[in-house]
Amino acid sequence: MNTDLQDYSHKRFNILTGEWVLVSPHRAKRPWQGQNEAVSNEVRPSYDESCYLCAGNTRINGEVNPKYENVFVFTNDFAALQTDSKTFTVDDGLLKAQSEQGICKVICFSPDHSKSLADMAPAEIEQVVLEWQKQYKELGDNDLINYVQIFENKGAVMGCSNPHPHGQIWSQTTLPNEVEKKDTQQRNYYNEHKKSILGTYLAQELEKQERIIFENDAFVVLIPFWAVWPFETMIVPKKHQTNISEMKDNETLLFAEAISVITKAYDKLFNTSFPYSSGIHQSPTNGEDNSHWHWHMSFYPPLLRSATVKKFMVGYEMFGSPQRDITAESAVKMLRNLL
């Protein structure tokens, strides 16, 4: 391992976005006198009559949830994107805007209000994965939709307004900013080398074994060399697959196992229900050749030193570039020891 990376400030390049992150290892030793978050170790019931996501309960729009037994999906009652919004453009000098249409859905992972993905068995998580595949295909087949974003916000500190285990699926006409950057970087590499940039990167990481947390026959869980968040991780398929619909045979269960392993490790790290935002980046559904894409799932947890100390993306991060203190290699050791 390069010891300079553990001792001195430096920049690391994100091959998927073309951007840099500043790493300052020496700052991890500084005392903390800032804000401390409340520790969330709430014991929730399996059913909450006031929860609008629990099976059989009535949502705010008056619709009644079915008595679902595993996974339940519905169109978001307060969707950020709509299919019937007016189509328009604004092109007034430097004032530019355009309408955007889409479909937003909510996916309940389990009818058990008390659970999170970390509490679910791989076989239960696989049911979520299978539904993700179904939604990606159905939404992507809609001529209106050119990209499907699957994500989860877990924990109040990440803006989650309901603790019931659930995620969201936003699909839209154009590519979001982060996806646009990854599309460009992957396409450029693929056009030059005729192979996936993530596949090449993964081979290098598997050889070095410095940032690998877990692997099975189909997937690798690692902390990217360029990670921004203190305990950011990525799940990458070993095969070059452009999107989640390409998983075959038992690969969906192996993907579920990878999700189970990392979410359980997160909860053990600071002995708390670990908050994060997670999301799957995969090929657009625009009908074009997207062979350059190599799909992956990322977890962005905000906790820094303990269950009460959060990493803030402010100041330099807002006006300069992302910055982290604890190195990716140090974070890997902490998580790997919890498996």
Side-chain angles (χ1 to χ4, degrees), residues 70-71 109-110 115 119-129 253 256:
N70 42 57
V71 180
F109 301 152
S110 167
K115 288 186 175 182
D119 304 312
M120 296 167 61
E124 294 176 298
I125 298 175
E126 185 184 23
Q127 296 305 307
V128 178
V129 172
L253 182 58

Side-chain angles (χ1 to χ4, degrees), residues 259-274:
I259 294 173
S260 176
V261 166
I262 190 56
T263 54
K264 280 179 167 58
Y266 278 152
D267 280 9
K268 291 177 184 177
L269 183 60
F270 296 135
N271 194 29
T272 189
S273 183
F274 210 76

Side-chain angles (χ1 to χ4, degrees), residues 29-286:
K29 301 174 183 178
R30 78 189 195 280
W32 180 260
Q33 293 180 309
Q35 176 174 315
N36 285 277
E37 307 295 327
V39 178
S40 175
N41 285 315
E42 173 192 9
V43 178
R44 301 195 307 273
S46 295
Y47 168 75
D48 183 347
E49 63 181 11
S50 66
C51 172
Y52 60 84
L53 296 181
C54 277
N57 286 1
T58 302
R59 301 203 304 276
I60 195 69
N61 66 351
E63 292 187 21
V64 178
N65 297 330
K67 293 282 189 177
Y68 64 95
E69 297 182 354
N70 42 57
V71 180
F72 169 51
V73 178
F74 62 92
T75 300
N76 197 319
D77 299 326
F78 300 96
L81 294 160
Q82 300 169 316
T83 58
D84 57 357
S85 57
K86 181 181 177 182
T87 301
F88 65 90
T89 59
V90 174
D91 191 358
D92 182 10
L94 297 180
L95 309 179
K96 298 183 183 295
Q98 66 182 62
S99 58
E100 183 74 353
Q101 296 178 316
I103 302 168
C104 297
K105 294 190 176 185
V106 175
I107 173 171
C108 296
F109 301 152
S110 167
D112 192 330
H113 185 78
S114 68
K115 288 186 175 182
S116 70
L117 289 175
D119 304 312
M120 296 167 61
E124 294 176 298
I125 298 175
E126 185 184 23
Q127 296 305 307
V128 178
V129 172
L130 293 173
E131 188 62 40
W132 282 342
Q133 288 183 309
K134 178 183 176 183
Q135 293 297 322
Y136 174 81
K137 180 70 167 59
E138 289 184 356
L139 290 166
D141 284 345
N142 188 321
D143 291 339
L144 177 71
I145 302 303
N146 289 307
Y147 189 74
V148 179
Q149 180 61 63
I150 296 168
F151 66 97
E152 178 197 4
N153 294 321
K154 181 192 173 195
V157 72
M158 296 307 290
C160 183
S161 59
N162 188 314
H164 192 100
H166 74 285
Q168 297 187 57
I169 304 171
W170 290 17
S171 57
Q172 61 190 100
T173 304
T174 63
L175 302 190
N177 293 345
E178 290 301 301
V179 178
E180 187 80 60
K181 286 183 279 190
K182 290 188 175 185
D183 185 67
T184 299
Q185 289 294 111
Q186 291 183 98
R187 186 188 301 277
N188 289 344
Y189 186 90
Y190 191 85
N191 286 343
E192 181 177 354
H193 301 279
K194 306 306 176 188
K195 57 183 178 179
S196 151
I197 190 172
L198 258 187
T200 305
Y201 167 72
L202 190 59
Q204 187 172 356
E205 287 286 27
L206 287 169
E207 180 180 353
K208 289 183 174 295
Q209 289 291 318
E210 293 176 356
R211 284 165 291 274
I212 305 296
I213 297 172
F214 169 81
E215 67 172 299
N216 56 30
D217 288 344
F219 292 91
V220 175
V221 183
L222 54 80
I223 293 187
F225 181 73
W226 56 84
V228 171
W229 295 93
F231 296 97
E232 175 181 334
T233 58
M234 179 187 291
I235 301 176
V236 188
K238 291 181 176 179
K239 290 182 182 176
H240 177 194
Q241 298 175 338
T242 65
N243 61 72
I244 60 173
S245 71
E246 295 176 16
M247 282 185 282
K248 305 297 182 184
D249 302 325
N250 68 332
E251 289 176 345
T252 53
L253 182 58
L254 291 173
F255 179 37
E257 179 190 31
I259 294 173
S260 176
V261 166
I262 190 56
T263 54
K264 280 179 167 58
Y266 278 152
D267 280 9
K268 291 177 184 177
L269 183 60
F270 296 135
N271 194 29
T272 189
S273 183
F274 210 76
Y276 59 74
S277 280
S278 67
I280 297 174
H281 276 157
Q282 55 191 322
S283 58
T285 58
N286 51 15

